[in-house]
Amino acid sequence: MIKRNNATISKFIIHKVGNKFNDTKNAFSESEVQFDEASYDLMLPFLLRPFGSVVQSHRFNHHANIKLNEINTYTEDIFGDESNFIDVSKNIVKHLYEQSNSVQIKTGDVIVAIFEGIEFNEIVTNAVGIFKIESKSNFFQTYLEGNSYDVTVQQGINTKKVDKGCLILNQTDAEGPIVLTVDNNNYDAQYWINNFLNIKYANDFNSHTQNYIELCKEFSTEILKTSYGNQEQNIFLAKTVDYFKEHEFVNIENFKEEVFEDDKHKTLFDDYKKSFEGEQELLILNQFDVAEPVVKKQKAKIKTEIKLDTQIQIKLDIDAPDAASEYLERGFDEEKKMYYYKVFFNTEG
């Protein structure tokens, strides 16, 4: 995450990107935007606000050589000589256009900007920002005509959220330049992250925590839910979250001892971990430090609900891992030939 207290915009340009799939064309600006005070004061926080809550950072990726990554090359050109800004910004849009290989990919405005005074990990640096505005909002505009006011509908950019955006910091570590990204319209996860930016999570405790929780979520869905039902799945997820909350350091053997009561489940988890690593092309460490902000974000995404075909839902508390096993009982009614859940409680809320 960044701090933007002292951040400023030094260069800013807007282009339009088309869609190669349906043959809509790009449209390019030939000069930078010159802000008035009001629009600048709205634009700066609009673009940078999303990155204040981004926990994980990325690094550029390429199958052959990282220097062949297009966005890495373009941002290096801008950092090296800002007089190239307009020409390079057009190349960025052309590269984005080449990734629009389906009807799903939306046309839109592309903003390329240079920011000064970005603070990341207590270091102040500059950054190149790339943003794609995919959706416009309708708003009413009132105007005076003669002696009366009238109203018309216009379309504009909603200042509440950025559709897609990234910040490439002029700061590197052993893995390369630091990249932060957001995608609020992730209708095609491949398009922005993999095809356009071609980035991967940094090899740090944030990504180790993320990968392990993703492993547990997928294991709960594909193995536990399928073979043992929703209750077993939700108990496991609640215990997983509880383990990460209670431990600063993850050890996979200790995790299995605390979370699983049945040795058969431990074996299933080990087998699934191997297949998950192969499918995702990553290595999940057996020991790593826990990243609390990642746990908090992932916890908010985990849904512990049992949805029944009788239009009834049972919502379980993710912070009470033992409640589902102690106070929820599953059975089968021979007379009705239906499954049932029995819930035990003292008082109603």
Side-chain angles (χ1 to χ4, degrees), residues 37-94:
E37 185 175 353
S39 57
Y40 180 89
D41 288 344
L42 274 175
M43 185 62 72
L44 181 61
F46 166 65
L47 296 178
L48 292 183
R49 189 185 300 115
F51 300 100
S53 59
V54 171
V55 175
Q56 294 170 267
S57 63
H58 290 73
R59 302 297 181 271
F60 287 119
N61 188 36
H62 195 274
H63 67 276
N65 188 325
I66 198 67
K67 292 189 177 296
L68 298 177
N69 179 295
E70 288 87 346
I71 301 302
N72 183 28
T73 300
Y74 294 144
T75 51
E76 277 188 352
D77 288 346
I78 292 175
F79 289 137
D81 184 358
E82 291 189 7
S83 67
N84 296 327
F85 174 72
I86 294 176
D87 288 338
V88 175
S89 71
K90 292 179 182 179
N91 290 334
I92 289 171
V93 174
K94 292 174 185 175

Side-chain angles (χ1 to χ4, degrees), residues 205-206 209 244 248 290-297:
F205 65 101
N206 290 303
T209 303
F244 274 85
E248 296 181 355
V290 171
E292 289 185 20
V294 175
V295 175
K296 186 176 180 181
K297 261 198 163 181

Side-chain angles (χ1 to χ4, degrees), residues 140-181:
F140 293 110
Q141 178 68 51
T142 58
Y143 62 95
L144 184 63
E145 185 170 313
N147 295 322
S148 300
Y149 279 96
D150 207 339
V151 63
T152 185
V153 175
Q154 296 183 352
Q155 279 198 335
I157 298 172
N158 189 324
T159 59
K160 290 184 179 180
K161 69 173 185 177
V162 169
D163 290 319
K164 299 181 187 300
C166 68
L167 278 183
I168 300 96
L169 306 183
N170 192 13
Q171 182 182 341
T172 62
D173 59 16
E175 295 183 79
I178 296 167
V179 184
L180 307 175
T181 185

Side-chain angles (χ1 to χ4, degrees), residues 294-311:
V294 175
V295 175
K296 186 176 180 181
K297 261 198 163 181
Q298 290 300 309
K299 175 189 168 185
K301 296 179 182 179
I302 294 175
K303 305 297 181 186
T304 51
E305 294 178 340
I306 300 175
K307 295 182 179 181
L308 308 177
D309 58 2
T310 51
Q311 311 308 312

Side-chain angles (χ1 to χ4, degrees), residues 113-229:
I114 300 177
F115 298 94
E116 309 286 344
I118 299 286
E119 184 177 337
F120 179 80
N121 288 346
E122 299 182 348
I123 296 175
V124 178
T125 186
N126 57 332
V128 171
I130 306 168
F131 307 86
K132 186 184 178 193
I133 310 300
E134 297 180 324
S135 53
K136 300 289 182 71
S137 299
N138 292 329
F139 63 92
F140 293 110
Q141 178 68 51
T142 58
Y143 62 95
L144 184 63
E145 185 170 313
N147 295 322
S148 300
Y149 279 96
D150 207 339
V151 63
T152 185
V153 175
Q154 296 183 352
Q155 279 198 335
I157 298 172
N158 189 324
T159 59
K160 290 184 179 180
K161 69 173 185 177
V162 169
D163 290 319
K164 299 181 187 300
C166 68
L167 278 183
I168 300 96
L169 306 183
N170 192 13
Q171 182 182 341
T172 62
D173 59 16
E175 295 183 79
I178 296 167
V179 184
L180 307 175
T181 185
V182 293
D183 187 353
N184 287 310
N185 287 351
N186 54 351
Y187 54 86
D188 186 344
Q190 302 296 314
Y191 167 63
W192 184 256
I193 296 289
N194 295 340
N195 298 345
F196 173 58
L197 295 174
N198 193 3
I199 53 177
K200 61 182 180 180
Y201 280 120
N203 184 23
D204 59 16
F205 65 101
N206 290 303
S207 63
H208 300 324
T209 303
Q210 168 87 14
N211 291 338
Y212 201 90
I213 293 177
E214 288 294 338
L215 163 68
C216 292
K217 287 163 62 178
E218 293 299 315
F219 173 76
S220 76
T221 300
E222 295 189 18
I223 304 300
L224 295 181
K225 181 180 178 180
T226 302
S227 302
Y228 301 97

Side-chain angles (χ1 to χ4, degrees), residues 95-113:
H95 174 59
L96 182 61
Y97 177 81
E98 289 301 316
Q99 314 315 313
S100 55
N101 294 315
S102 80
V103 70
Q104 280 187 306
I105 307 301
K106 299 175 182 177
T107 60
D109 298 336
V110 177
I111 295 169
V112 183

